Amino acid sequence: MKRPFSIFQSIYIKIPLLFIFILMIAFQFIAVFFVDQLETQTANNYKETVNTQVDLLMNNVRPILSDTTLSNDDRYSRMNQVLDSFQQSNAVYQVINPQSYVIATNETNVANAVGRRMNSNEINQVFLNQRSYVAELYNPISGIQQYTVIQPVISLDNNQLLGVIHAVADMTQIYEQTGDIMVVFIQSAVFSVLLTFIVSIVLSQGLTRPIENIRQQAIRISEGNYDYPATVYGQDELGELAMTINDVAVKVKEAQELTESERQRLDGVLRHMTDGVLATDRRGNIILVNNRALSLLNVPHQKAIGISILSLLDITNQVTLETLLTSDQEVLMNRSDGKIQTILKAEFSLIRRDTGFVTGLVCVLTDVTEQEKTEQERRDFVSNVSHELRTPLTSIKSYSEALSDGAWEDPVIAPQFIEVIQSETNRMIRMIGNLLDLSKLDGGQIKPEMELLDYKRVMNHIIDRFEFMLKSGKTSKGFVINREFTTSDIYIEMDQDRMTQVIDNLINNAIKYSPAGGEIFISIQESHNKVTTIVRDQGLGIPQKDLPHLFERFYRVDKARSRDQGGTGLGLAISKEVIELHGGKIWVESREGYGSSFIFELPYEIFEIIDEGWDD
């Protein structure tokens, strides 16, 4: 983001201001030392000139004042002649006699200048002490700065005080000259500053242009534009910096492309993973979730991001965030979505930096519903097989022990015991055979030998066999089998042996669980793409709670009755596998007290078949 800044923060202005600052410091030193020294030196020179003129005047006046032979007029005349030579001086020179009267002066524009009495304390002090007086004072009356020199005139013969020379010099012009010099100095300084500013701006372009170019390149890099490298203006440090920035741009571009490629690859992996993936920050709030996790949890993406993973997974009662942040954990969750019950396994792993600092969590969600179901079925299967085998083995063991204990000698009991042992043995053989068939069906080891057969002839053949058995057998209970077949010819591709096994099992069950003298209805119905077979009895029916489990292995509605009749509990499971192997489906419809209907459908296509007879 481009930040606003003041013009005085720009390097374009900072460099000229730096030069100006240095120049101002130099001018300050010059003004402090040079101008002050110039003013002091000029004032001292001027004072020295006044002092010299005072000494010169004193040497010229002393002989005149010491000559007692001269009349006052001659004395005054000769002193005025001496003072005439000081007419061009800026200082006022006065010769004062011991009575404090001015007897000679170079003032020509002041009336009655000669003869005035001077009552100055400084003059009286000189008369008294006979010592020179020198001072620079401000005259408030005239408003000027004055340099005053009062020099006593002493006779060389007898050290008699002849008078004093009073000199007053105007220092204003001296200071005005210094002020004029200062004005010229300031004007020169201002001109120099302006010239320096202009020149420094021009010269700084050689520095600021590469810097600005590098800055623009840095901005382009921050915006993800790497196609315009910075211009290298020279082989100096800025040139090396520009080349370094260009190298950085290339490496950042390559790193970004690699990162983007890795991100897309990671997104692709996460998007197509069969497991759900969630990632959190250190506080346990969701920062990443893939589509599979959203599907498993049945939540939209907007609601998942930012909330606690414990709340999202509803496992606050099973585990705490502190526990998850200390070690890897695995949690099983039972979730219910209406009638669908799912089991999810959540595996938590820590995200650590190289320093070991934990920055968050990764949770992998796996739908283990089928696995858990399969595992439960396996446990149930092992339990059922153990139970089913234990019963006949217990019977065989008991009867064998009884025979061993002497029952074999009893001509009545021994045959009965042997018959029970044979029955239980046959039952175990049938059970093991059925288990082997189921195992082969599950493993895909059984390949159906498909033939195009007349389905109604196959059904009639099976039913005729059962009717013959019912009429000739000892267990005939007066059952009647009614056939309700379609009038159309039905030809189906099927494995005759396997389908015969299914139909035998269904008719056997109908006979077993129907009351004596009951009717069994077997119907065949057709549609344009399927054939429906129904085996209906008039038995006691099946409770509704048992219907979903009827085709499970070893499941019995009436366990005692089924076992007494030699059932293995695997017939319907095998029937379901065989029907599905033929691309069909099987189900049951039943009401308690009204009998049951076992229905299965097989795929069917209409063929024009030439009847060549049925080969028994």
Side-chain angles (χ1 to χ4, degrees):
M1 183 179 66
K2 190 174 182 179
R3 299 178 180 177
F5 59 89
S6 172
I7 188 173
F8 293 103
Q9 295 178 330
S10 172
I11 193 171
Y12 293 100
I13 301 300
K14 285 183 177 180
I15 293 177
L17 289 180
L18 177 62
F19 283 107
I20 292 174
F21 180 71
I22 296 173
L23 189 62
M24 292 297 293
I25 292 176
F27 284 148
Q28 183 69 23
F29 279 106
I30 293 173
V32 170
F33 293 102
F34 174 74
V35 177
D36 183 67
Q37 290 295 325
L38 177 62
E39 182 182 34
T40 302
Q41 189 65 33
T42 303
N44 289 338
N45 291 337
Y46 183 71
K47 292 176 182 179
E48 186 65 28
T49 301
V50 173
N51 292 336
T52 302
Q53 290 181 346
V54 170
D55 292 338
L56 178 61
L57 180 59
M58 183 184 63
N59 292 330
N60 290 330
V61 170
R62 182 187 291 117
I64 298 174
L65 293 177
S66 301
D67 191 358
T68 57
T69 60
L70 296 175
S71 62
N72 289 335
D73 292 336
D74 292 335
R75 183 177 292 109
Y76 295 154
S77 176
R78 290 181 61 182
M79 283 191 295
N80 286 329
Q81 290 177 358
V82 172
L83 289 172
D84 286 342
S85 59
F86 295 91
Q87 291 294 330
Q88 303 300 324
S89 176
N90 290 329
V92 176
Y93 298 95
Q94 296 176 335
V95 180
I96 303 173
N97 61 14
Q99 289 76 32
S100 301
Y101 288 100
V102 178
I103 58 175
T105 181
N106 64 342
E107 292 181 289
T108 58
N109 55 350
V110 179
N112 299 321
V114 177
R116 277 187 310 173
R117 182 179 175 83
M118 303 296 293
N119 291 323
S120 172
N121 293 331
E122 291 80 6
I123 294 175
N124 294 333
Q125 191 69 27
V126 173
F127 276 123
L128 181 63
N129 296 330
Q130 295 185 8
R131 291 182 179 178
S132 300
Y133 172 80
V134 178
E136 182 178 348
L137 301 172
Y138 176 75
N139 189 342
I141 298 176
S142 60
I144 60 176
Q145 192 79 11
Q146 295 178 339
Y147 178 65
T148 303
V149 178
I150 303 175
Q151 182 73 29
V153 181
I154 299 174
S155 174
L156 297 177
D157 296 334
N158 52 12
N159 292 330
Q160 180 183 359
L161 181 61
L162 303 176
V164 297
I165 296 175
H166 181 216
V168 178
D170 186 2
M171 300 290 292
T172 303
Q173 185 177 2
I174 300 301
Y175 291 117
E176 287 178 353
Q177 291 177 355
T178 304
D180 294 340
I181 294 173
M182 192 63 184
V183 170
V184 174
F185 178 80
I186 293 173
Q187 292 175 349
S188 301
V190 171
F191 177 77
S192 299
V193 167
L194 293 176
L195 183 61
T196 301
F197 183 76
I198 295 172
V199 172
S200 60
I201 287 179
V202 174
L203 295 179
S204 65
Q205 293 296 316
L207 180 63
T208 57
R209 187 185 300 109
I211 293 177
E212 175 62 19
N213 187 27
I214 294 171
R215 187 181 76 88
Q216 292 296 331
Q217 174 66 355
I219 292 175
R220 289 192 292 268
I221 292 175
S222 66
E223 294 174 349
N225 186 355
Y226 310 103
D227 298 329
Y228 300 96
T231 304
V232 180
Y233 288 94
Q235 301 300 321
D236 55 359
E237 290 82 355
L238 290 177
E240 293 181 359
L241 179 59
M243 290 188 290
T244 303
I245 286 290
N246 292 337
D247 292 340
V248 169
V250 173
K251 293 180 180 179
V252 169
K253 181 179 179 181
E254 294 175 351
Q256 187 170 4
E257 290 176 350
L258 179 61
T259 303
E260 182 64 20
S261 175
E262 292 294 333
R263 187 190 67 81
Q264 292 178 357
R265 187 179 296 110
L266 178 60
D267 288 344
V269 171
L270 292 177
R271 190 180 304 111
H272 296 94
M273 281 184 64
T274 57
D275 294 334
V277 178
L278 301 97
T280 74
D281 57 16
R282 181 170 172 77
R283 296 180 178 85
N285 297 325
I286 301 294
I287 57 175
L288 182 145
V289 57
N290 69 346
N291 294 334
R292 177 58 176 166
L294 296 175
S295 175
L296 291 174
L297 299 174
N298 193 24
V299 294
H301 186 270
Q302 294 78 5
K303 291 186 178 180
I305 297 298
I307 69 172
S308 172
I309 191 171
L310 300 181
S311 301
L312 181 64
L313 300 180
D314 194 18
I315 56 173
T316 52
N317 295 330
Q318 297 179 256
V319 70
T320 63
L321 183 61
E322 289 75 12
T323 304
L324 296 178
L325 291 174
T326 53
S327 61
D328 295 345
Q329 299 289 330
E330 183 176 305
V331 179
L332 282 178
M333 301 173 293
N334 292 312
R335 300 178 67 87
S336 176
D337 184 11
K339 296 182 180 180
I340 301 176
Q341 190 79 17
T342 58
I343 302 174
L344 300 179
K345 181 174 69 173
E347 297 177 280
F348 294 89
S349 299
L350 300 177
I351 304 175
R352 298 178 184 270
R353 294 179 180 171
D354 294 338
T355 58
F357 181 76
V358 177
T359 59
L361 295 169
V362 170
C363 175
V364 178
L365 289 178
T366 306
D367 186 352
V368 295
T369 305
E370 292 299 324
Q371 297 178 15
E372 290 295 321
K373 182 179 178 182
T374 302
E375 182 64 22
Q376 185 61 40
E377 290 177 350
R378 185 191 64 80
R379 290 192 292 265
D380 293 342
F381 175 78
V382 172
S383 176
N384 290 331
V385 168
S386 301
H387 180 73
E388 293 294 334
L389 290 177
R390 185 186 301 114
T391 301
L393 286 174
T394 302
S395 298
I396 293 173
K397 182 176 182 295
S398 299
Y399 284 101
S400 299
E401 290 176 350
L403 290 173
S404 177
D405 291 339
W408 63 273
E409 297 178 353
D410 190 329
V412 177
I413 297 177
Q416 296 177 355
F417 283 9
I418 292 174
E419 183 181 357
V420 171
I421 292 173
Q422 289 177 342
S423 175
E424 294 296 335
T425 303
N426 291 332
R427 178 182 167 193
M428 285 192 296
I429 291 173
R430 287 196 305 273
M431 183 186 301
I432 293 173
N434 289 336
L435 287 174
L436 290 174
D437 287 343
L438 279 174
S439 176
K440 290 178 180 178
L441 288 169
D442 290 340
Q445 299 176 9
I446 295 180
K447 302 297 182 182
E449 297 179 1
M450 307 298 285
E451 298 179 84
L452 187 63
L453 302 173
D454 187 338
Y455 185 59
K456 290 196 300 181
R457 286 190 178 185
V458 173
M459 290 293 295
N460 284 322
H461 180 73
I462 296 172
I463 295 171
D464 291 342
R465 177 164 47 83
F466 269 97
E467 288 179 339
F468 178 78
M469 291 171 56
L470 290 174
K471 291 178 181 179
S472 62
K474 297 179 180 180
T475 60
S476 177
K477 299 179 181 180
F479 290 110
V480 177
I481 300 178
N482 295 315
R483 313 181 196 198
E484 299 174 349
F485 293 176
T486 178
T487 58
S488 302
D489 293 333
I490 306 296
Y491 287 87
I492 299 177
E493 283 191 355
M494 65 182 184
D495 186 326
Q496 183 174 355
D497 292 339
R498 295 297 171 185
M499 286 304 301
T500 300
Q501 183 181 5
V502 171
I503 297 169
D504 281 350
N505 182 66
L506 294 179
I507 296 176
N508 259 321
N509 287 341
I511 294 173
K512 286 179 184 178
Y513 298 104
S514 293
E519 290 185 276
I520 298 172
F521 299 88
I522 300 176
S523 64
I524 299 176
Q525 302 171 3
E526 65 165 330
S527 64
H528 68 284
N529 61 354
K530 62 184 178 181
V531 172
T532 304
T533 304
I534 304 173
V535 179
R536 179 164 54 89
D537 61 48
Q538 294 179 333
L540 297 177
I542 302 170
Q544 291 295 317
K545 64 181 181 63
D546 294 319
L547 292 178
H549 308 286
L550 203 60
F551 293 95
E552 295 178 3
R553 299 171 188 184
F554 296 110
Y555 190 84
R556 295 185 178 93
V557 177
D558 188 351
K559 296 180 174 59
R561 181 180 178 185
S562 176
R563 191 175 292 112
D564 290 342
Q565 294 182 356
T568 62
L570 298 173
L572 290 178
I574 293 175
S575 298
K576 180 176 181 291
E577 295 288 342
V578 171
I579 294 295
E580 291 179 352
L581 189 66
H582 283 75
K585 63 179 180 178
I586 186 171
W587 70 94
V588 61
E589 296 176 354
S590 179
R591 290 175 59 193
E592 289 188 79
Y594 293 91
S596 303
S597 297
F598 285 85
I599 308 165
F600 64 87
E601 292 179 347
L602 294 175
Y604 165 63
E605 292 183 7
I606 299 176
F607 293 95
E608 293 183 359
I609 303 296
I610 299 176
D611 189 1
E612 296 181 353
W614 177 259
D615 185 7
D616 290 335

